[in-house]
PDB file of all heavy atoms in Angstrom:
ATOM      1  N   ILE Q   1      30.354 -28.445   1.638  1.00 78.00           N
ATOM      2  CA  ILE Q   1      30.504 -28.257   0.188  1.00 78.00           C
ATOM      3  C   ILE Q   1      29.152 -28.081  -0.515  1.00 78.00           C
ATOM      4  O   ILE Q   1      29.038 -27.233  -1.399  1.00 78.00           O
ATOM      5  CB  ILE Q   1      31.322 -29.414  -0.445  1.00 78.00           C
ATOM      6  CG1 ILE Q   1      32.791 -29.252  -0.047  1.00 78.00           C
ATOM      7  CG2 ILE Q   1      31.193 -29.427  -1.951  1.00 78.00           C
ATOM      8  CD1 ILE Q   1      33.677 -30.383  -0.497  1.00 78.00           C
ATOM      9  N   PRO Q   2      28.106 -28.805  -0.146  1.00 81.00           N
ATOM     10  CA  PRO Q   2      26.829 -28.632  -0.844  1.00 81.00           C
ATOM     11  C   PRO Q   2      26.229 -27.224  -0.735  1.00 81.00           C
ATOM     12  O   PRO Q   2      25.455 -26.816  -1.603  1.00 81.00           O
ATOM     13  CB  PRO Q   2      25.903 -29.662  -0.186  1.00 81.00           C
ATOM     14  CG  PRO Q   2      26.836 -30.701   0.346  1.00 81.00           C
ATOM     15  CD  PRO Q   2      28.059 -29.944   0.774  1.00 81.00           C
ATOM     16  N   VAL Q   3      26.562 -26.474   0.306  1.00 83.00           N
ATOM     17  CA  VAL Q   3      25.968 -25.136   0.457  1.00 83.00           C
ATOM     18  C   VAL Q   3      26.818 -24.023  -0.174  1.00 83.00           C
ATOM     19  O   VAL Q   3      26.375 -22.885  -0.247  1.00 83.00           O
ATOM     20  CB  VAL Q   3      25.691 -24.788   1.938  1.00 83.00           C
ATOM     21  CG1 VAL Q   3      24.743 -25.788   2.556  1.00 83.00           C
ATOM     22  CG2 VAL Q   3      26.967 -24.650   2.727  1.00 83.00           C
ATOM     23  N   ILE Q   4      28.008 -24.354  -0.649  1.00 83.00           N
ATOM     24  CA  ILE Q   4      28.889 -23.327  -1.212  1.00 83.00           C
ATOM     25  C   ILE Q   4      28.266 -22.627  -2.420  1.00 83.00           C
ATOM     26  O   ILE Q   4      28.236 -21.398  -2.465  1.00 83.00           O
ATOM     27  CB  ILE Q   4      30.284 -23.907  -1.544  1.00 83.00           C
ATOM     28  CG1 ILE Q   4      30.980 -24.361  -0.267  1.00 83.00           C
ATOM     29  CG2 ILE Q   4      31.138 -22.911  -2.299  1.00 83.00           C
ATOM     30  CD1 ILE Q   4      31.133 -23.285   0.775  1.00 83.00           C
ATOM     31  N   PRO Q   5      27.730 -23.354  -3.407  1.00 86.00           N
ATOM     32  CA  PRO Q   5      27.140 -22.644  -4.551  1.00 86.00           C
ATOM     33  C   PRO Q   5      26.009 -21.694  -4.157  1.00 86.00           C
ATOM     34  O   PRO Q   5      25.914 -20.576  -4.671  1.00 86.00           O
ATOM     35  CB  PRO Q   5      26.626 -23.768  -5.462  1.00 86.00           C
ATOM     36  CG  PRO Q   5      27.443 -24.956  -5.095  1.00 86.00           C
ATOM     37  CD  PRO Q   5      27.727 -24.802  -3.621  1.00 86.00           C
ATOM     38  N   GLU Q   6      25.171 -22.125  -3.215  1.00 89.00           N
ATOM     39  CA  GLU Q   6      24.067 -21.276  -2.758  1.00 89.00           C
ATOM     40  C   GLU Q   6      24.586 -20.060  -1.992  1.00 89.00           C
ATOM     41  O   GLU Q   6      24.049 -18.963  -2.108  1.00 89.00           O
ATOM     42  CB  GLU Q   6      23.109 -22.080  -1.882  1.00 89.00           C
ATOM     43  CG  GLU Q   6      22.407 -23.183  -2.655  1.00 89.00           C
ATOM     44  CD  GLU Q   6      21.897 -24.287  -1.754  1.00 89.00           C
ATOM     45  OE1 GLU Q   6      22.065 -24.210  -0.533  1.00 89.00           O
ATOM     46  OE2 GLU Q   6      21.328 -25.247  -2.306  1.00 89.00           O
ATOM     47  N   THR Q   7      25.628 -20.263  -1.201  1.00 88.00           N
ATOM     48  CA  THR Q   7      26.229 -19.168  -0.445  1.00 88.00           C
ATOM     49  C   THR Q   7      26.847 -18.144  -1.393  1.00 88.00           C
ATOM     50  O   THR Q   7      26.673 -16.932  -1.214  1.00 88.00           O
ATOM     51  CB  THR Q   7      27.298 -19.710   0.522  1.00 88.00           C
ATOM     52  OG1 THR Q   7      26.715 -20.701   1.356  1.00 88.00           O
ATOM     53  CG2 THR Q   7      27.878 -18.612   1.377  1.00 88.00           C
ATOM     54  N   ILE Q   8      27.525 -18.623  -2.402  1.00 89.00           N
ATOM     55  CA  ILE Q   8      28.157 -17.724  -3.377  1.00 89.00           C
ATOM     56  C   ILE Q   8      27.090 -16.970  -4.159  1.00 89.00           C
ATOM     57  O   ILE Q   8      27.205 -15.748  -4.357  1.00 89.00           O
ATOM     58  CB  ILE Q   8      29.091 -18.516  -4.313  1.00 89.00           C
ATOM     59  CG1 ILE Q   8      30.300 -19.014  -3.515  1.00 89.00           C
ATOM     60  CG2 ILE Q   8      29.524 -17.668  -5.506  1.00 89.00           C
ATOM     61  CD1 ILE Q   8      31.161 -20.010  -4.238  1.00 89.00           C
ATOM     62  N   THR Q   9      26.027 -17.645  -4.571  1.00 92.00           N
ATOM     63  CA  THR Q   9      24.932 -16.983  -5.291  1.00 92.00           C
ATOM     64  C   THR Q   9      24.292 -15.899  -4.437  1.00 92.00           C
ATOM     65  O   THR Q   9      24.015 -14.796  -4.927  1.00 92.00           O
ATOM     66  CB  THR Q   9      23.877 -18.027  -5.729  1.00 92.00           C
ATOM     67  OG1 THR Q   9      24.501 -18.970  -6.591  1.00 92.00           O
ATOM     68  CG2 THR Q   9      22.716 -17.371  -6.445  1.00 92.00           C
ATOM     69  N   ALA Q  10      24.083 -16.190  -3.160  1.00 95.00           N
ATOM     70  CA  ALA Q  10      23.491 -15.195  -2.255  1.00 95.00           C
ATOM     71  C   ALA Q  10      24.426 -14.003  -2.070  1.00 95.00           C
ATOM     72  O   ALA Q  10      23.976 -12.853  -2.059  1.00 95.00           O
ATOM     73  CB  ALA Q  10      23.178 -15.839  -0.898  1.00 95.00           C
ATOM     74  N   ALA Q  11      25.716 -14.273  -1.944  1.00 93.00           N
ATOM     75  CA  ALA Q  11      26.687 -13.180  -1.786  1.00 93.00           C
ATOM     76  C   ALA Q  11      26.724 -12.317  -3.038  1.00 93.00           C
ATOM     77  O   ALA Q  11      26.740 -11.082  -2.951  1.00 93.00           O
ATOM     78  CB  ALA Q  11      28.073 -13.745  -1.479  1.00 93.00           C
ATOM     79  N   ILE Q  12      26.716 -12.942  -4.201  1.00 94.00           N
ATOM     80  CA  ILE Q  12      26.716 -12.184  -5.455  1.00 94.00           C
ATOM     81  C   ILE Q  12      25.469 -11.320  -5.539  1.00 94.00           C
ATOM     82  O   ILE Q  12      25.538 -10.136  -5.889  1.00 94.00           O
ATOM     83  CB  ILE Q  12      26.839 -13.115  -6.674  1.00 94.00           C
ATOM     84  CG1 ILE Q  12      28.238 -13.738  -6.733  1.00 94.00           C
ATOM     85  CG2 ILE Q  12      26.530 -12.366  -7.975  1.00 94.00           C
ATOM     86  CD1 ILE Q  12      28.380 -14.853  -7.750  1.00 94.00           C
ATOM     87  N   SER Q  13      24.318 -11.873  -5.206  1.00 97.00           N
ATOM     88  CA  SER Q  13      23.066 -11.107  -5.237  1.00 97.00           C
ATOM     89  C   SER Q  13      23.120  -9.899  -4.316  1.00 97.00           C
ATOM     90  O   SER Q  13      22.715  -8.802  -4.696  1.00 97.00           O
ATOM     91  CB  SER Q  13      21.881 -11.991  -4.832  1.00 97.00           C
ATOM     92  OG  SER Q  13      21.614 -12.936  -5.816  1.00 97.00           O
ATOM     93  N   ALA Q  14      23.626 -10.092  -3.118  1.00 97.00           N
ATOM     94  CA  ALA Q  14      23.728  -8.982  -2.162  1.00 97.00           C
ATOM     95  C   ALA Q  14      24.695  -7.913  -2.668  1.00 97.00           C
ATOM     96  O   ALA Q  14      24.426  -6.710  -2.544  1.00 97.00           O
ATOM     97  CB  ALA Q  14      24.175  -9.500  -0.799  1.00 97.00           C
ATOM     98  N   LEU Q  15      25.813  -8.346  -3.246  1.00 97.00           N
ATOM     99  CA  LEU Q  15      26.792  -7.387  -3.779  1.00 97.00           C
ATOM    100  C   LEU Q  15      26.233  -6.623  -4.970  1.00 97.00           C
ATOM    101  O   LEU Q  15      26.474  -5.414  -5.118  1.00 97.00           O
ATOM    102  CB  LEU Q  15      28.088  -8.104  -4.162  1.00 97.00           C
ATOM    103  CG  LEU Q  15      28.909  -8.645  -2.997  1.00 97.00           C
ATOM    104  CD1 LEU Q  15      30.004  -9.568  -3.520  1.00 97.00           C
ATOM    105  CD2 LEU Q  15      29.492  -7.526  -2.167  1.00 97.00           C
ATOM    106  N   VAL Q  16      25.466  -7.293  -5.817  1.00 98.00           N
ATOM    107  CA  VAL Q  16      24.850  -6.621  -6.970  1.00 98.00           C
ATOM    108  C   VAL Q  16      23.842  -5.578  -6.498  1.00 98.00           C
ATOM    109  O   VAL Q  16      23.796  -4.459  -7.027  1.00 98.00           O
ATOM    110  CB  VAL Q  16      24.208  -7.654  -7.923  1.00 98.00           C
ATOM    111  CG1 VAL Q  16      23.299  -6.984  -8.940  1.00 98.00           C
ATOM    112  CG2 VAL Q  16      25.283  -8.463  -8.632  1.00 98.00           C
ATOM    113  N   VAL Q  17      23.040  -5.923  -5.505  1.00 98.00           N
ATOM    114  CA  VAL Q  17      22.073  -4.954  -4.960  1.00 98.00           C
ATOM    115  C   VAL Q  17      22.810  -3.737  -4.405  1.00 98.00           C
ATOM    116  O   VAL Q  17      22.430  -2.589  -4.668  1.00 98.00           O
ATOM    117  CB  VAL Q  17      21.181  -5.606  -3.876  1.00 98.00           C
ATOM    118  CG1 VAL Q  17      20.401  -4.563  -3.093  1.00 98.00           C
ATOM    119  CG2 VAL Q  17      20.241  -6.615  -4.510  1.00 98.00           C
ATOM    120  N   ARG Q  18      23.875  -3.970  -3.654  1.00 98.00           N
ATOM    121  CA  ARG Q  18      24.653  -2.858  -3.082  1.00 98.00           C
ATOM    122  C   ARG Q  18      25.280  -2.015  -4.178  1.00 98.00           C
ATOM    123  O   ARG Q  18      25.243  -0.797  -4.136  1.00 98.00           O
ATOM    124  CB  ARG Q  18      25.725  -3.400  -2.127  1.00 98.00           C
ATOM    125  CG  ARG Q  18      26.551  -2.329  -1.477  1.00 98.00           C
ATOM    126  CD  ARG Q  18      25.707  -1.445  -0.579  1.00 98.00           C
ATOM    127  NE  ARG Q  18      26.536  -0.427   0.021  1.00 98.00           N
ATOM    128  CZ  ARG Q  18      26.122   0.789   0.315  1.00 98.00           C
ATOM    129  NH1 ARG Q  18      24.881   1.140   0.103  1.00 98.00           N
ATOM    130  NH2 ARG Q  18      26.937   1.655   0.848  1.00 98.00           N
ATOM    131  N   ARG Q  19      25.865  -2.686  -5.194  1.00 98.00           N
ATOM    132  CA  ARG Q  19      26.473  -1.962  -6.308  1.00 98.00           C
ATOM    133  C   ARG Q  19      25.435  -1.110  -7.035  1.00 98.00           C
ATOM    134  O   ARG Q  19      25.684   0.053  -7.350  1.00 98.00           O
ATOM    135  CB  ARG Q  19      27.108  -2.946  -7.289  1.00 98.00           C
ATOM    136  CG  ARG Q  19      27.777  -2.240  -8.457  1.00 98.00           C
ATOM    137  CD  ARG Q  19      27.978  -3.121  -9.647  1.00 98.00           C
ATOM    138  NE  ARG Q  19      26.716  -3.683 -10.104  1.00 98.00           N
ATOM    139  CZ  ARG Q  19      26.636  -4.768 -10.839  1.00 98.00           C
ATOM    140  NH1 ARG Q  19      27.711  -5.442 -11.177  1.00 98.00           N
ATOM    141  NH2 ARG Q  19      25.466  -5.213 -11.230  1.00 98.00           N
ATOM    142  N   ASP Q  20      24.265  -1.667  -7.280  1.00 98.00           N
ATOM    143  CA  ASP Q  20      23.209  -0.934  -7.978  1.00 98.00           C
ATOM    144  C   ASP Q  20      22.708   0.254  -7.168  1.00 98.00           C
ATOM    145  O   ASP Q  20      22.392   1.311  -7.726  1.00 98.00           O
ATOM    146  CB  ASP Q  20      22.048  -1.860  -8.338  1.00 98.00           C
ATOM    147  CG  ASP Q  20      22.433  -2.896  -9.394  1.00 98.00           C
ATOM    148  OD1 ASP Q  20      23.522  -2.762 -10.008  1.00 98.00           O
ATOM    149  OD2 ASP Q  20      21.654  -3.852  -9.599  1.00 98.00           O
ATOM    150  N   THR Q  21      22.678   0.092  -5.846  1.00 98.00           N
ATOM    151  CA  THR Q  21      22.296   1.204  -4.965  1.00 98.00           C
ATOM    152  C   THR Q  21      23.318   2.338  -5.067  1.00 98.00           C
ATOM    153  O   THR Q  21      22.945   3.517  -5.184  1.00 98.00           O
ATOM    154  CB  THR Q  21      22.181   0.723  -3.506  1.00 98.00           C
ATOM    155  OG1 THR Q  21      21.175  -0.292  -3.433  1.00 98.00           O
ATOM    156  CG2 THR Q  21      21.825   1.863  -2.562  1.00 98.00           C
ATOM    157  N   LEU Q  22      24.591   1.982  -5.020  1.00 98.00           N
ATOM    158  CA  LEU Q  22      25.644   2.999  -5.146  1.00 98.00           C
ATOM    159  C   LEU Q  22      25.624   3.641  -6.522  1.00 98.00           C
ATOM    160  O   LEU Q  22      25.831   4.853  -6.656  1.00 98.00           O
ATOM    161  CB  LEU Q  22      27.017   2.389  -4.861  1.00 98.00           C
ATOM    162  CG  LEU Q  22      27.254   1.871  -3.445  1.00 98.00           C
ATOM    163  CD1 LEU Q  22      28.656   1.284  -3.330  1.00 98.00           C
ATOM    164  CD2 LEU Q  22      27.036   2.962  -2.418  1.00 98.00           C
ATOM    165  N   GLN Q  23      25.352   2.848  -7.562  1.00 98.00           N
ATOM    166  CA  GLN Q  23      25.280   3.394  -8.917  1.00 98.00           C
ATOM    167  C   GLN Q  23      24.126   4.394  -9.023  1.00 98.00           C
ATOM    168  O   GLN Q  23      24.264   5.437  -9.665  1.00 98.00           O
ATOM    169  CB  GLN Q  23      25.106   2.267  -9.938  1.00 98.00           C
ATOM    170  CG  GLN Q  23      25.139   2.747 -11.374  1.00 98.00           C
ATOM    171  CD  GLN Q  23      26.466   3.360 -11.761  1.00 98.00           C
ATOM    172  OE1 GLN Q  23      27.508   2.739 -11.577  1.00 98.00           O
ATOM    173  NE2 GLN Q  23      26.452   4.575 -12.283  1.00 98.00           N
ATOM    174  N   ALA Q  24      22.990   4.087  -8.392  1.00 98.00           N
ATOM    175  CA  ALA Q  24      21.853   5.018  -8.390  1.00 98.00           C
ATOM    176  C   ALA Q  24      22.224   6.326  -7.684  1.00 98.00           C
ATOM    177  O   ALA Q  24      21.851   7.411  -8.138  1.00 98.00           O
ATOM    178  CB  ALA Q  24      20.631   4.368  -7.734  1.00 98.00           C
ATOM    179  N   GLU Q  25      22.964   6.212  -6.572  1.00 97.00           N
ATOM    180  CA  GLU Q  25      23.431   7.418  -5.874  1.00 97.00           C
ATOM    181  C   GLU Q  25      24.358   8.243  -6.771  1.00 97.00           C
ATOM    182  O   GLU Q  25      24.246   9.466  -6.827  1.00 97.00           O
ATOM    183  CB  GLU Q  25      24.189   7.055  -4.597  1.00 97.00           C
ATOM    184  CG  GLU Q  25      23.331   6.601  -3.458  1.00 97.00           C
ATOM    185  CD  GLU Q  25      24.168   6.299  -2.216  1.00 97.00           C
ATOM    186  OE1 GLU Q  25      25.112   7.051  -1.928  1.00 97.00           O
ATOM    187  OE2 GLU Q  25      23.857   5.293  -1.535  1.00 97.00           O
TER     188      GLU Q  25
END
């Protein structure tokens, strides 16, 4: 449970980077 918030934050960051890459394309 203690690592869930950090895991979710990392996943959101990775998804935002991917989304921004696709948006640039």
Side-chain angles (χ1 to χ4, degrees):
I1 287 175
V3 301
I4 296 303
E6 295 158 1
T7 305
I8 291 169
T9 300
I12 290 170
S13 290
L15 291 169
V16 167
V17 167
R18 181 64 180 147
R19 181 200 57 201
D20 292 348
T21 300
L22 295 179
Q23 185 63 53
E25 285 182 40

